[in-house]
Amino acid sequence: MATTIAAERQAPGQLFIGGQWVDAQSGATFETVHPATGEPIARVAEAGEADVDAAVRAARRAFAETGARSWGGLDAADRGTLLWRIADMLERRQDELARLEVLDNGKPLREARIDIREAVDAFRYYAGWCTKLQGDTIPVRGNVLNYTLREPVGVVGAIIPWNFPLLMAAWKVAPALACANTVVLKPAEQTPLSALELAAAAQEVGLPAGVLNVVTGFGETAGAALVRHPDVDKIAFTGSTEVGRTIMREAAGTLKKVSLELGGKSPNIVFADADLDAAARGAFAAIFYNAGQACTAGSRLLVQQEIHDALLDKLVERARKLQPGDPLDPGTRLGPMVSQEQLDRVLNYIERGRAEGARVVAGGGRADYAGERRGYWVEPTIFAGVAPDHTIAREEIFGPVLAVLPFADEEQAVTLANDTIYGLAAAVWTRDLKRAHRMARRIHAGTVWVNTYHPLDAASPFGGYKQSGFGRELGASALDLYTQTKSVWIDLS
Ligand code: NAP
Ligand code: MG
């Protein structure tokens, strides 16, 4: 494994601060492992508070500079060109980057390839926005000219999870840079490697020093230091609802702007009039894509009574065929959990489901890898007979565990769907056009899919209702997260 990984990497396992690769000031490092086997693959620097401070100072310097070659002094079109070049760099290295992501995260190669492609898309999409960030002229009373300027927020702290490592970095870094901010990025401790490759790409295309800084390290230390730092203007976070709460509390001290993309318990609702095969395929992908480690995972399958057993049979058959395989093999469809901690968490939920009286109809335990008990594998698991108050129907599991609940009619489907603290996504399967649009309006979620599951696009806003967070990433909406509006008044009298 060690030789494989060396071939994929361009960046050293160091911190990227002010355009330089540096060790942590303490000299500390930590290990990252390949989740399919648990084998160590690399060591990277462990940033502490002093390193985060250095990164924030570098970002501030880069933000404050005003010369023609500085970040703020660059023409918007040239800023866009740099972002486009980052996309080109990532695209040129897409095979290596996909393999690196597989090694670090454990996800199947075919899914990692999609991540890299979408990360490239995000940089291209926001490259185009650089020249389109314009203000308004406003017809106010009096003999004055009033117009608005859209200005960057300043230094952005981006804290991301391990489930789509490069993609989550791109969703924050691309719009933040497009809006002329500077960034300190802290990737998840489980998957630090692709963020370092993003820094290498930024260096390669000649992004000015300090515009993008990457500090690998732990949430409780490096992440918390970033959130507390008085010179960070905004925190953009994706991760657990619990840490999201902590971040909001901590950011209050310095009144930072905060945007949060948090967990979900998304309902996937199948009506009896749906195309049953399509719904089965969709429900399967909804929960088992990325082994369920997706914030939008369709983890609650609500099925109309008449088709409950037929749909369940189709799903069980598919789930049984889904087997662990070498994630680097392009044919593999199921990867492991990202870590031992995540494996334990998911297995605990499965036990909880059994103990509370739900019935396992597929999977239900840990899986072996290549005939051995190693790595962090979980069998694709389906629970039938789940009641709305069962823990597995309420809490985010973040693993390949599906809770199936029956419903009688549209009214009950809506009630069940909205009976959650979350509101990230939902899907509806029906052939009835009116019902599809009714449901889309009545479900409290930031994304509603009809007769499909999971599509996202750099151009379309994404984010949560309720405790799934606030602020919309992607699309034009993300520009609101990374700009502030200034109103300018000129007396013409
Ligand atoms: P997490 O702790 O919320 O991690 C997300 C990011 O926040 C990581 O970079 C993490 O660093 C950092 N972080 C943790 N504590 C912090 C703090 N006090 N201040 C600042 N940053 C902090 O998520 P997790 O522990 O990896 O996973 C736990 C559960 O969260 C999962 O089982 C799942 O339910 C949920 N989750 C949801 C999403 C999502 O996209 N909605 C993504 C990941 C996880 P470390 O890497 O060092 O922890
Ligand atoms: Mg954590």
Side-chain angles (χ1 to χ4, degrees):
M1 198 55 71
T3 49
T4 324
I5 192 134
E8 321 302 340
R9 294 175 70 189
Q10 198 164 71
Q14 288 174 296
L15 311 175
F16 188 66
I17 297 179
Q20 309 284 329
W21 295 99
V22 295
D23 290 329
Q25 291 182 27
S26 68
T29 60
F30 66 100
E31 202 164 59
T32 174
V33 303
H34 181 42
T37 59
E39 285 170 87
I41 51 170
R43 292 197 77 85
V44 298
E46 183 195 328
E49 186 154 7
D51 304 298
V52 169
D53 182 54
V56 172
R57 279 188 287 118
R60 175 58 60 191
R61 261 196 314 277
F63 184 74
E65 269 172 37
T66 52
R69 301 181 68 86
S70 71
W71 189 233
L74 266 187
D75 287 344
D78 294 335
R79 200 164 70 235
T81 303
L82 282 174
L83 288 192
W84 194 276
R85 288 200 184 128
I86 291 177
D88 288 346
M89 285 294 304
L90 299 178
E91 189 169 56
R92 202 169 311 138
R93 295 189 62 214
Q94 60 183 310
D95 291 343
E96 291 149 76
L97 292 173
R99 290 169 58 86
L100 189 66
E101 208 77 304
V102 169
L103 294 169
D104 209 13
N105 167 282
K107 65 175 62 201
L109 186 63
R110 65 193 302 271
E111 297 184 8
R113 285 196 173 127
I114 297 172
D115 288 13
I116 310 301
R117 215 166 53 225
E118 291 186 354
V120 169
D121 258 11
F123 274 96
R124 294 233 165 94
Y125 175 79
Y126 286 106
W129 266 114
C130 294
T131 48
K132 294 155 197 83
L133 275 171
Q134 55 200 28
D136 300 306
T137 53
I138 302 168
V140 294
R141 280 188 198 279
N143 191 9
V144 288
L145 167 63
N146 177 240
Y147 65 90
T148 58
L149 293 171
R150 288 194 87 172
E151 298 188 331
V153 168
V155 174
V156 173
I159 301 177
I160 57 170
W162 41 261
N163 51 348
F164 299 94
L166 185 66
L167 186 57
M168 291 299 104
W171 281 18
K172 293 183 169 42
V173 172
L177 296 187
C179 298
N181 298 279
T182 58
V183 177
V184 178
L185 169 67
K186 194 210 82 70
E189 64 187 67
Q190 297 87 349
T191 55
L193 299 180
S194 56
L196 296 173
E197 299 303 321
L198 177 60
Q203 189 179 31
E204 186 95 11
V205 306
L207 202 72
V211 170
L212 173 63
N213 307 273
V214 178
V215 288
T216 48
F218 300 112
E220 291 73 8
T221 50
L226 195 54
V227 175
R228 273 196 314 266
H229 201 293
D231 215 18
V232 171
D233 298 292
K234 182 209 159 72
I235 293 289
F237 172 78
T238 298
S240 60
T241 294
E242 187 194 339
V243 173
R245 261 186 212 108
T246 305
I247 285 180
M248 215 169 144
R249 247 191 328 264
E250 293 293 318
T254 46
L255 281 177
K256 287 183 180 58
K257 294 164 182 65
V258 173
S259 50
L260 302 173
E261 201 270 275
L262 308 174
K265 191 73 192 176
S266 298
N268 187 20
I269 308 161
V270 185
F271 285 95
D273 69 353
D275 173 340
L276 214 56
D277 286 319
R281 274 197 307 278
F284 181 83
I287 186 61
F288 296 129
Y289 191 79
N290 212 32
Q293 301 168 118
C295 47
T296 51
S299 52
R300 289 188 296 145
L301 180 63
L302 312 182
V303 189
Q304 199 157 19
Q305 264 148 15
E306 297 90 303
I307 54 158
H308 177 274
D309 293 356
L311 185 67
L312 198 58
D313 286 348
K314 285 181 192 290
L315 272 175
V316 168
E317 197 190 314
R318 280 177 169 273
R320 291 210 175 117
K321 287 191 199 136
L322 186 60
Q323 295 289 335
D326 179 354
L328 281 170
D329 179 338
T332 295
R333 300 294 170 99
L334 178 70
M337 303 295 94
V338 76
S339 63
Q340 180 71 46
E341 188 187 0
Q342 200 60 23
L343 171 67
D344 294 340
R345 231 181 107 91
V346 174
L347 293 176
N348 263 327
Y349 274 114
I350 293 176
E351 279 328 299
R352 222 29 211 280
R354 282 203 178 90
E356 291 177 12
R359 187 161 44 85
V360 173
V361 294
R366 189 173 172 175
D368 289 340
Y369 179 58
E372 284 179 58
R373 178 114 308 191
R374 59 184 181 144
Y376 316 125
W377 297 83
V378 176
E379 294 176 319
T381 297
I382 301 176
F383 277 99
V386 180
D389 63 343
H390 284 172
T391 306
I392 59 167
R394 307 204 73 78
E395 295 184 13
E396 182 174 52
I397 299 175
F398 233 62
V401 181
L402 180 64
V404 185
L405 296 87
F407 68 84
D409 55 20
E410 196 174 308
E411 228 23 67
Q412 194 189 9
V414 170
T415 304
L416 283 172
N418 289 335
D419 179 20
T420 169
I421 61 165
Y422 294 113
L424 195 57
V428 179
W429 299 80
T430 178
R431 286 190 170 100
D432 180 337
L433 189 64
K434 292 185 185 179
R435 168 183 280 155
H437 286 291
R438 271 197 311 268
M439 292 296 290
R441 290 184 180 201
R442 295 184 72 189
I443 292 169
H444 304 149
T447 293
V448 178
W449 291 293
V450 176
N451 296 332
T452 183
Y453 208 99
H454 277 325
L456 292 170
D457 193 289
S460 181
F462 175 78
Y465 279 33
K466 300 197 273 184
Q467 292 187 38
S468 290
F470 49 82
R472 292 289 173 273
E473 298 197 284
L474 303 185
S477 308
L479 306 172
D480 297 335
L481 303 181
Y482 298 105
T483 54
Q484 46 196 349
T485 301
K486 179 179 283 173
S487 179
V488 181
W489 296 74
I490 312 230
D491 181 16
L492 300 178
S493 67

